[in-house]
């Protein structure tokens, strides 16, 4: 009888933990694009060799308590993936409303969700700058952060300044990686 109770207790604990992880997995943030698949090539139209417009992005699973979202797109393979020396920043958006669920392809500054603010990319301007690798295939990380705060207006912060302001405020993160090599 004692063994049966131990087995029952063990199975009950296992089931409870499994359900907790299943609920957590179901509620995880996900970032996708109708323009390209994760770990696949970014079409030319979203690069310096094309129209240089932003890809469409969609997200789901925003956790309870999220007050705003941040999007950072960067390339850790600059300038050469065989010998990377820096991370090149392509797009910085912050204070995206927690109720927003997407950014449309080729979105213009005036079409961003109300309240969304922009930071500086490494071209020292706001807005999207598409992949334009000088050599080799690079990875482009699209990172979406859920914050428990709406940040103060930071002006046009760099990625580093924005990351500093986000410290301790991140609830969750989702990532989408696209690849590009000039042809």
């Amino acid at each position: 009888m004692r063994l049966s109770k131990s087995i029952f207790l063990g199975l009950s604990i296992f089931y409870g933990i499994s359900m907790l992880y299943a609920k957590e997995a179901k509620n995880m943030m996900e970032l996708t694009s109708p323009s390209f698949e994760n770990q696949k090539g970014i079409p030319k139209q979203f690069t310096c060799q094309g129209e240089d417009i932003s890809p469409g992005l969609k997200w789901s699973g925003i956790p309870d308590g999220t007050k705003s979202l941040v999007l950072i797109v960067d390339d850790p393979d600059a300038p050469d993936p065989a010998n990377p020396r820096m991370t090149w920043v392509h797009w910085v958006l912050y204070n995206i409303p927690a109720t927003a669920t997407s950014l449309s392809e080729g979105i213009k500054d005036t079409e961003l969700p109300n309240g969304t603010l922009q930071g500086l990319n490494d071209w020292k301007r706001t807005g999207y700058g598409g992949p334009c690798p000088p050599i080799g295939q690079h990875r482009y990380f699209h990172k979406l952060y859920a914050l428990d705060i709406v940040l103060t207006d930071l002006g046009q912060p760099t990625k580093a300044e924005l990351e500093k302001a986000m410290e301790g405020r991140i609830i969750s993160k989702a990532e989408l990686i696209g690849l590009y090599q000039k042809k």
Side-chain angles (χ1 to χ4, degrees), residues 62-77:
I62 302 302
D64 291 341
T66 299
K67 302 288 188 232
S68 70
L69 302 167
V70 168
L71 177 71
I72 297 173
V73 180
D74 60 25
D75 166 11
D77 299 324

Side-chain angles (χ1 to χ4, degrees), residues 68-72 93-94 96 143-145 147 162 166:
S68 70
L69 302 167
V70 168
L71 177 71
I72 297 173
L93 297 176
Y94 69 103
I96 301 168
K143 298 175 278 193
L144 185 71
Y145 300 89
L147 306 184
L162 181 55
M166 291 167 39

Side-chain angles (χ1 to χ4, degrees), residues 83-97:
N83 185 23
R85 287 191 224 124
M86 66 175 299
T87 298
W88 188 265
V89 180
H90 289 262
W91 203 10
V92 178
L93 297 176
Y94 69 103
N95 285 351
I96 301 168

Side-chain angles (χ1 to χ4, degrees), residues 1 38 49 54 64-65 71 103-104 120 124 148 159 161 165:
M1 187 63 128
N38 190 41
Q49 292 186 295
S54 61
D64 291 341
L71 177 71
L103 296 173
S104 61
L120 294 175
K124 306 295 183 222
D148 66 358
K159 173 188 162 185
E161 292 166 337

Side-chain angles (χ1 to χ4, degrees), residues 17-78:
I17 291 171
S18 297
M19 292 307 293
L20 178 64
Y21 282 115
K23 183 178 179 187
E24 224 173 80
K26 184 180 175 188
N27 292 328
M28 287 179 56
M29 269 181 30
E30 183 179 30
L31 178 61
T32 61
S33 176
S35 306
F36 67 94
E37 292 180 44
N38 190 41
Q39 298 285 352
K40 302 285 184 187
I42 296 173
K44 186 177 177 180
Q45 72 193 73
F46 306 110
T47 74
C48 69
Q49 292 186 295
E51 298 170 55
D52 204 18
I53 60 171
S54 61
L57 297 172
K58 296 182 178 186
W59 52 87
S60 60
I62 302 302
D64 291 341
T66 299
K67 302 288 188 232
S68 70
L69 302 167
V70 168
L71 177 71
I72 297 173
V73 180
D74 60 25
D75 166 11
D77 299 324

